[in-house]
């Protein structure tokens, strides 16, 4: 188990109403409605869902790690890099599990070099560290 040596940032979000409810941060900066997708037996609707929120967080965090590793290795993309997180959920023998694909775009960077940067980011990213050994995470350089 990994435990931070010291806490650099902490946030608090409260969910009410489950998958058809709301989620809001204590500081008021995040406030979203939640809707159960039709593909999961729900009504669908205007709200987001935990999988989208997880994908957004993982993509943003992983991109930060990619930029850090690229900078330390003096790798300079020709345009703004991006990360797309594809998050899937499905049943397992007891409950449900997630699967993730991180599609990383490092424009103008040779594929082998980009793959090294992505591997380094995967070692550093807090989301990668939290999911390692628990979720199948596929890394793809596009």
């Amino acid at each position: 188990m990994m435990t931070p040596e010291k806490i650099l940032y902490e946030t608090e979000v409260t969910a009410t109403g489950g998958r058809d409810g709301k989620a809001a941060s204590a500081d008021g900066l995040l406030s979203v409605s939640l809707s159960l997708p039709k593909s999961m037996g729900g009504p669908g609707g205007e709200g987001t869902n935990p999988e989208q929120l997880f994908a957004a967080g993982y993509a943003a965090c992983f991109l930060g790690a990619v930029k850090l590793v690229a900078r330390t290795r003096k790798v300079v993309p020709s345009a703004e890099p991006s990360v797309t997180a594809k998050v899937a959920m499905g049943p397992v023998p007891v409950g449900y599990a997630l699967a993730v694909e991180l599609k990383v775009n490092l424009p103008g960077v040779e594929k082998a070099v980009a793959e090294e940067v992505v591997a380094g980011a995967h070692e550093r990213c807090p989301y990668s560290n939290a999911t390692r050994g628990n979720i199948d995470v596929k890394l793809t350089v596009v």
Side-chain angles (χ1 to χ4, degrees):
M1 176 182 345
M2 290 185 154
T3 303
E5 293 174 21
K6 70 177 185 176
I7 301 300
L8 300 176
Y9 174 74
E10 183 173 85
T11 188
E12 192 173 296
V13 174
T14 300
T16 55
R19 285 182 166 270
D20 284 313
K22 295 192 178 305
S25 60
D27 63 9
L29 295 176
L30 175 73
S31 180
V32 294
S33 294
L34 304 170
S35 298
L36 184 62
K38 288 183 180 183
S39 65
M40 293 176 60
E46 298 293 314
T48 187
N49 58 65
E51 293 72 31
Q52 287 180 332
L53 294 168
F54 182 77
Y58 203 161
C61 188
F62 199 82
L63 180 56
V66 165
K67 288 179 156 187
L68 174 68
V69 172
R71 214 172 28 255
T72 60
R73 296 185 183 188
K74 296 183 176 30
V75 174
V76 181
S78 61
E80 182 66 27
S82 65
V83 173
T84 300
K86 182 177 178 182
V87 174
M89 184 184 73
V92 293
V94 179
Y96 295 85
L98 299 175
V100 174
E101 180 180 7
L102 298 175
K103 300 175 188 177
V104 182
N105 183 12
L106 281 166
V109 177
E110 181 184 319
K111 187 165 185 173
V113 173
E115 287 172 345
E116 288 176 17
V117 169
V118 168
H122 195 46
E123 293 300 315
R124 299 182 86 110
C125 175
Y127 276 69
S128 292
N129 288 331
T131 61
R132 189 169 287 112
N134 297 309
I135 294 177
D136 179 29
V137 177
K138 179 181 176 185
L139 303 172
T140 304
V141 172
V142 295

